[in-house]
Amino acid sequence: MNKGWVILLSLVVFATSCKMVKKPSRKNVTIDSAATNSSSMIGPMPMEEPVSPPLLNADKKELIATLLPLWDRRIDYTTFKGKAKMHYEGSGQKQDFTANIRMAKDSVIWIHITAGMGIVNVARILITPDSFQLVNYLEKSVISMPIAEAQSFLPASVDFALLQSLLIGEVLSRTGQPVDATDFGGTWSLNIADAEAQQRINYNKVDSTMRSQQVILNNNGFAGMIQYGNYSLVSSRKFAISRAININSNNELHYLDMNFNNASFDEELEFPFSIPNSYSLNK
């Protein structure tokens, strides 16, 4: 697997899962959170197997009512631009990359991947709600297809909305009903479930920012967790500068560490994407 595929797999596999296993891989990850209160620092959290929802007493119902607006909260923006350093481990590899990311909300995701201090041009990706295109500069090849067909080479079917939420730092899915909530002192935890999946989202009580989210589907095959840290104000929006992503896809373990060194919202953006004539087209 070359570097372009590694980073694509890391970004897409978590956000576009169809199946999940009982327990994901877990790395000990600590992110120094100098930009926020120490209670919002992130660290390793265990993945748990789905359990039957408890009976809700009055206190839990009240806490659920408090947390549902946080679960439904969205970042208000029209465009997003960011540059993130990434460290990937999986498939017997360890790789470091830089990803330049541009998004127009609900319409375009553009990612340019480089390595070696930005010297090596690795790949360029353009995703819309209907299409998926990837230019692999290392292999001088191109993939271009409807997004519904991208699962032919990816380990899970592609979903534009989930990938967008992953990159912007929002809850991945807002389907399901609340089944439990817990006050752990410095952290609130909200459990959401439906026929296909169970979610657990943890929030910092100090500033209500999302600390982590875990999603477990009720079928075998895939599990994942994202942890968030170093929240900073970016264009008056709370934005998680640091992300730690753990993935288990059909017993293949993947870990991605993302650290944004710049980010901005609502700028006028271009999404340059051209295919050299000499590149071979893979369908």
Side-chain angles (χ1 to χ4, degrees), residues 6-283:
V6 167
I7 193 65
L8 178 63
L9 177 66
S10 303
L11 288 173
V12 175
V13 125
F14 185 88
T16 60
S17 61
C18 289
K19 301 177 181 178
M20 290 200 162
V21 294
K22 290 184 178 180
K23 292 191 177 183
S25 69
R26 184 175 78 251
K27 289 181 63 67
N28 291 335
V29 180
T30 302
I31 294 178
D32 184 10
S33 184
T36 186
N37 186 285
S38 60
S39 63
S40 65
M41 293 178 66
I42 68 176
M45 292 184 179
M47 298 287 288
E48 299 180 0
E49 297 184 15
V51 296
S52 299
L55 295 176
L56 298 178
N57 57 33
D59 289 341
K60 286 186 177 290
K61 290 179 180 179
E62 183 178 355
L63 183 55
I64 286 174
T66 299
L67 297 181
L68 281 178
L70 302 183
W71 179 59
D72 197 45
R73 182 172 57 192
R74 291 167 170 79
I75 297 175
D76 183 23
Y77 70 101
T78 55
T79 65
F80 169 77
K81 181 176 71 174
K83 183 178 182 181
K85 293 184 177 180
M86 301 192 182
H87 174 76
Y88 169 84
E89 296 182 21
S91 301
Q93 298 189 42
K94 295 182 180 180
Q95 302 287 357
D96 292 294
F97 312 92
T98 297
N100 286 278
I101 301 164
R102 301 179 185 179
M103 295 195 300
K105 187 176 182 180
D106 299 330
S107 61
V108 178
I109 297 172
W110 179 96
I111 304 173
H112 182 208
I113 302 162
T114 60
M117 303 295 291
I119 298 174
V120 181
N121 206 16
V122 176
R124 189 164 294 190
I125 303 164
L126 187 70
I127 305 173
T128 73
D130 300 317
S131 65
F132 181 96
Q133 296 183 83
L134 181 146
V135 176
N136 186 327
Y137 297 111
L138 299 180
E139 295 185 351
K140 296 184 178 181
S141 63
V142 180
I143 288 177
S144 179
M145 62 180 62
I147 198 166
E149 296 179 9
Q151 62 265 29
S152 62
F153 65 91
L154 293 173
S157 61
V158 173
D159 185 296
F160 179 91
L162 287 177
L163 180 56
Q164 177 178 257
S165 295
L166 168 66
L167 294 171
I168 205 67
E170 294 182 331
V171 171
L172 296 183
S173 174
R174 293 184 176 86
T175 62
Q177 298 295 322
V179 295
D180 195 14
T182 306
D183 187 335
F184 289 107
T187 304
W188 287 313
S189 178
L190 177 65
N191 287 27
I192 304 289
D194 59 21
E196 296 181 354
Q198 297 192 37
Q199 304 176 57
R200 172 173 290 180
I201 305 99
N202 294 316
Y203 297 94
N204 289 311
K205 291 178 68 174
V206 173
D207 58 7
S208 75
T209 55
M210 185 166 55
R211 178 176 181 178
S212 68
Q213 60 175 318
Q214 168 187 336
V215 182
I216 298 178
L217 291 182
N218 299 326
N219 298 320
N220 290 334
F222 189 102
M225 174 189 282
I226 309 178
Q227 295 172 266
Y228 302 86
N230 286 345
Y231 275 92
S232 298
L233 282 179
V234 176
S235 305
S236 301
R237 300 162 176 86
K238 291 180 181 179
F239 182 78
I241 298 298
S242 303
R243 322 276 175 86
I245 304 174
N246 285 277
I247 301 165
N248 186 323
S249 178
N250 293 312
N251 295 320
E252 293 185 2
L253 309 183
H254 306 274
Y255 167 74
L256 181 67
D257 185 68
M258 302 174 60
N259 286 281
F260 285 87
N261 50 29
N262 64 61
S264 62
F265 290 93
D266 297 340
E267 296 183 9
E268 290 189 11
L269 299 179
E270 296 181 350
F271 305 91
F273 193 88
S274 60
I275 300 173
N277 293 329
S278 61
Y279 281 25
S280 60
L281 179 63
N282 298 324
K283 296 184 177 181

